[in-house]
Amino acid sequence: MAAQEVFTRRDTTMEYSLYIACILALGIIAQWLAWRLQFPAIVLLLIFGFALGQFTDLRSGPNQELFFACVSLAVGIILFEGGLSLDFREIKGVRAVVFRLVSLGLVVTWLLTAWFAHRVAGFSMEMSLLLGALLTVSGPTVVMPLLRQVQPAKRIGSLMKWEGIVNDPIGAVLAAIVFELILHRSSGSIASDSLASLGLTLLTALVLSSLTAVLILQMLRRYWVPDFLQNPLVLALVMLVFALSNQLQHESGLVTITLLGVILANQHSVPIRHIAEFKENLRTLLISTLFIVLAARIRVDMQALEMLGWRSIAFVALLILVVRPLAVLISTVGSALTWSERLLLAWMHPRGIVAAAVSSLFALEIVRVLGPDDPLAKEANRFVLTVFLVIVITVIVYGLPLSWLARRLGLSRQNPQGVLFAGASPAVREIAQALKKEEIAVMVVDTNPRNNSAARMAGLPVIFASIGSELVREKTDLGGIGRMLAMTPNDEVNTLAAMAYAERFGRSEVYQLATGEISNGNNERKATYRKGRILFAEPVTYDELTKRFNSGQQVKSTLLSEDFTFTDFVDRYGESALVLFRIDTAGKLLVATNETEMTPQAGQKIIALVDEVEEE
């Protein structure tokens, strides 16, 4: 009997292990497919989750409280990472708009959503108010991936990011207050209890976030913690403070850790970029698993579809076509935003992980406290299904046409082909001018005043700063720029630039000149890990490139055809010609490197450094 029990426990452990492994694998596969197909990742994650839910059932069991505790902590970590990206300098000039969006706009969204939920979707007034409060949230889990895909203009992108991150904890607190009122609706002092709960939430969040921020900054400033423990320690503190805040005041944890992230992001005494980068990687993993796990709890069958009906579809349509545009219009009256920016902002309010997690938790709690026979408990299942329906439809409707709409409004560019040059030497200026003549956006960054003056005289956009400075990475609008070429005379600066921009452009679009180091085994391993892709078909150092220009070589653009092939080009200009770029028939710029074989075809254009020859 004992052996059989051990076997049963071992078999269950293996099943749970396989389940967790499948969730991780499906999450990463969904993220990769979304990247390849330029498709919103949230949609694929939900589809995979619904499919997994047809073969598994985690809606019941003794570990439901532990499950939702883990989900709550994960959501808290995601919001803390979102808070770390909120720099007040990003929204200079539109701070009033952000404030109105997360206050007046949020109230408008709540009340209108609640009214439509009652009149159209058929919910009771109590559940309508709860649904309206919960659907005010949006969040970084859906907004940030969409912004990364669309890459809108800096001002409207920052505005969308701020609203999406800030209104999550505010909406969650509002939903928690409404939820408590529903559970204790027999109480007489509803208004005073609500105000007291809100005041305690704000006080708890302010005190705990401030104390935790001071502790973290002191530990980093005074080197109390070694580098390898800094990220794990901050993560542990965030989880501890989140749980402690919720223990002191119900649902205050989201506000506390979001405020903690904002405080850390806007202090300038201690660098925290390494912490933010760690949390970004963790966020991707958490988002990939949470959406699948929560969607797997929803059983999609004919009964669920009948429970939703056409009234739920009409309710979601009203959210998109009436509620959001009206909230944006009221919040942006008298602002400096253009009508194009307002229209794009009105087409951006997808719901995310907070709505999914909190709706499931609320439904379980309503059934547990009020009992399964209570009228509100009978609406709980449809409440959760409606929230997930809103998530799926809003992500698809907002996400799929968002890139197209942003381009039509002139607020984004598809597959940006522009080049950011680190360095403004004479060779770089000639290459940048050649690309500009082909209508490819360029921008040069240098700390040499003479080089910058010459670049301005040549009509090139110039930034007088270090390539790795915050001015370039965070404050400069790099719309239309899709790659970085490090071409300074300093090999270390080039390597640092490649490391700094690998995250923004991807390692495949970060390049640097070859170094003059003597190659050996150790050097090669270091170069592979640290450096960007080596520029040009025949790798050249900065000194070699300068010698080519000093010897009289010049940058030349050549359109290939059936009559003048690449072989004819080589015959005319000789083996000394150095291919720099290729522009294909679709207008895509391809940088020549030492690791890809450049074989230009007819109809394509090559930009190369060649000796001057007599034209036939």
Side-chain angles (χ1 to χ4, degrees):
M1 181 68 68
Q4 185 178 1
E5 291 178 358
V6 171
F7 176 78
T8 302
R9 287 197 300 269
R10 184 178 302 170
D11 185 59
T12 303
T13 303
M14 288 300 294
E15 289 179 0
Y16 279 121
S17 300
L18 181 60
Y19 181 79
I20 294 172
C22 287
I23 290 173
L24 290 172
L26 288 174
I28 300 305
I29 291 172
Q31 294 279 1
W32 180 80
L33 285 175
W35 169 73
R36 292 290 299 177
L37 301 175
Q38 292 295 297
F39 195 78
I42 310 302
V43 177
L44 294 179
L45 290 170
L46 289 174
I47 292 174
F48 285 3
F50 291 142
L52 186 63
Q54 304 307 305
F55 305 101
T56 59
D57 188 5
L58 290 184
R59 292 173 293 175
S60 60
N63 295 320
Q64 292 302 298
E65 291 187 5
L66 178 61
F67 169 78
F68 278 106
C70 294
V71 171
S72 180
L73 286 172
V75 172
I77 294 171
I78 293 171
L79 282 183
F80 172 69
E81 189 277 331
L84 284 176
S85 66
L86 298 181
D87 190 334
F88 285 112
R89 292 171 295 186
E90 290 182 346
I91 54 172
K92 185 178 181 181
V94 290
R95 293 181 185 178
V97 178
V98 174
F99 177 77
R100 280 183 282 176
L101 281 171
V102 300
S103 56
L104 179 61
L106 186 140
V107 172
V108 170
T109 302
W110 172 35
L111 297 179
L112 279 178
T113 302
W115 192 78
F116 284 132
H118 180 61
R119 303 293 296 179
V120 177
F123 284 100
S124 64
M125 182 55 69
E126 293 93 337
M127 292 298 281
S128 296
L129 288 172
L130 181 61
L131 183 61
L134 186 58
L135 292 181
T136 60
V137 303
S138 179
T141 58
V142 284
V143 172
M144 300 299 285
L146 289 177
L147 292 181
R148 187 180 299 111
Q149 177 183 337
V150 176
Q151 294 187 359
K154 188 173 182 60
R155 182 170 70 173
I156 188 64
S158 298
L159 193 57
M160 290 176 172
K161 180 177 71 173
W162 267 81
E163 184 202 8
I165 295 174
V166 173
N167 75 354
D168 248 20
I170 297 176
V173 170
L174 175 63
I177 293 176
V178 175
F179 178 71
E180 290 296 325
L181 294 178
I182 289 176
L183 294 186
H184 306 90
R185 55 185 184 272
S186 60
S187 174
S189 56
I190 293 179
S192 60
D193 289 346
S194 301
L195 291 176
S197 177
L198 180 60
L200 286 175
T201 296
L202 296 178
L203 180 62
T204 302
L206 183 61
V207 172
L208 285 182
S209 61
S210 300
L211 292 177
T212 307
V214 170
L215 177 60
I216 292 175
L217 294 176
Q218 287 297 318
M219 288 190 302
L220 297 179
R221 183 185 295 114
R222 299 179 183 276
Y223 305 101
W224 290 347
V225 181
D227 289 357
F228 74 94
L229 278 181
Q230 288 181 3
N231 284 328
L233 179 62
V234 172
L235 177 62
L237 278 175
V238 167
M239 297 174 69
L240 178 62
V241 171
F242 174 76
L244 179 61
S245 181
N246 279 339
Q247 189 70 24
L248 294 175
Q249 176 62 26
H250 185 57
E251 293 299 328
S252 66
L254 293 179
V255 183
T256 300
I257 57 172
T258 303
L259 186 57
L260 173 61
V262 173
I263 293 174
L264 293 177
N266 288 276
Q267 59 80 35
H268 304 291
S269 59
V270 177
I272 59 166
R273 183 169 182 80
H274 60 296
I275 296 175
E277 289 174 350
F278 170 71
K279 296 300 185 294
E280 287 174 2
N281 296 329
L282 188 60
R283 179 194 65 189
T284 301
L285 184 62
L286 291 175
I287 291 174
S288 302
T289 55
L290 283 178
F291 271 105
I292 291 181
V293 169
L294 291 172
R297 296 176 53 83
I298 305 298
R299 186 59 60 90
V300 181
D301 51 23
M302 289 303 300
Q303 182 180 358
L305 296 178
E306 291 175 359
M307 186 180 299
L308 289 172
W310 67 267
R311 301 177 71 178
S312 298
I313 302 295
F315 168 68
V316 181
L318 289 170
L319 291 183
I320 296 173
L321 300 177
V322 177
V323 176
R324 178 59 178 176
L326 189 58
V328 170
L329 179 63
I330 293 175
S331 301
T332 57
V333 169
S335 69
L337 294 180
T338 65
W339 282 106
S340 295
E341 291 174 322
R342 298 182 193 191
L343 180 58
L344 188 63
L345 187 61
W347 196 258
M348 186 65 167
H349 197 216
R351 275 63 170 188
I353 198 67
V354 172
V358 175
S359 65
S360 301
L361 181 60
F362 281 175
L364 286 177
E365 195 70 9
I366 287 174
V367 175
R368 185 182 68 84
V369 175
L370 301 180
D373 296 329
D374 189 271
L376 295 182
K378 294 179 180 179
E379 292 185 285
N381 192 27
R382 188 161 71 96
F383 175 83
V384 177
L385 288 174
T386 303
V387 170
F388 273 86
L389 180 68
V390 171
I391 293 172
V392 173
I393 294 181
T394 55
V395 169
I396 292 176
V397 172
Y398 286 133
L400 291 183
L402 188 62
S403 296
W404 173 85
L405 179 62
R407 293 194 303 271
R408 290 299 301 267
L409 295 174
L411 299 174
S412 176
R413 296 187 182 182
Q414 183 180 20
N415 192 14
Q417 298 299 310
V419 179
L420 175 66
F421 287 95
S425 64
V428 174
R429 297 197 297 268
E430 292 291 333
I431 294 173
Q433 283 183 292
L435 291 177
K436 187 179 179 182
K437 290 179 181 178
E438 301 299 330
E439 298 185 350
I440 293 175
V442 295
M443 184 175 292
V444 296
V445 180
D446 205 324
T447 56
N448 187 312
R450 184 175 300 176
N451 285 343
N452 288 335
S453 298
R456 287 194 184 91
M457 293 294 292
L460 298 173
V462 178
I463 301 178
F464 183 27
S466 171
I467 185 63
S469 68
E470 185 179 359
L471 173 65
V472 182
R473 290 188 293 106
E474 305 294 341
K475 300 180 182 179
T476 303
D477 187 359
L478 297 179
I481 302 294
R483 54 188 57 82
M484 192 279 300
L485 273 60
M487 302 179 65
T488 75
N490 190 309
D491 293 335
E492 284 74 18
V493 171
N494 292 339
T495 300
L496 291 174
M499 294 170 59
Y501 288 88
E503 179 185 352
R504 181 180 182 91
F505 298 121
R507 294 190 181 277
S508 61
E509 296 294 351
V510 174
Y511 308 85
Q512 71 179 97
L513 290 171
T515 65
E517 300 174 347
I518 299 176
S519 296
N520 56 53
N522 292 334
N523 252 350
E524 288 301 318
R525 283 194 293 271
K526 180 179 178 182
T528 302
Y529 175 72
R530 298 281 184 183
K531 297 181 179 179
R533 303 173 69 182
I534 303 302
L535 277 170
F536 307 140
E538 298 175 11
V540 295
T541 65
Y542 177 85
D543 292 336
E544 292 172 356
L545 186 66
T546 302
K547 287 180 181 178
R548 282 177 175 264
F549 276 93
N550 291 340
S551 67
Q553 286 193 335
Q554 56 189 244
V555 181
K556 183 175 181 61
S557 299
T558 305
L559 179 63
L560 302 180
S561 63
E562 298 293 343
D563 297 327
F564 189 83
T565 64
F566 184 65
T567 302
D568 299 325
F569 173 86
V570 174
D571 290 340
R572 169 174 293 188
Y573 295 105
E575 296 294 334
S576 64
L578 176 66
V579 177
L580 307 177
F581 309 98
R582 172 164 59 101
I583 302 176
D584 64 16
T585 53
K588 183 178 181 180
L589 179 69
L590 302 172
V591 182
T593 67
N594 65 331
E595 58 192 37
T596 56
E597 185 176 350
M598 191 70 74
T599 53
Q601 305 296 323
Q604 298 180 348
K605 184 174 290 187
I606 58 174
I607 300 176
L609 191 59
V610 299
D611 292 317
E612 186 175 1
V613 298
E614 294 184 4
E615 297 292 338
E616 296 180 2

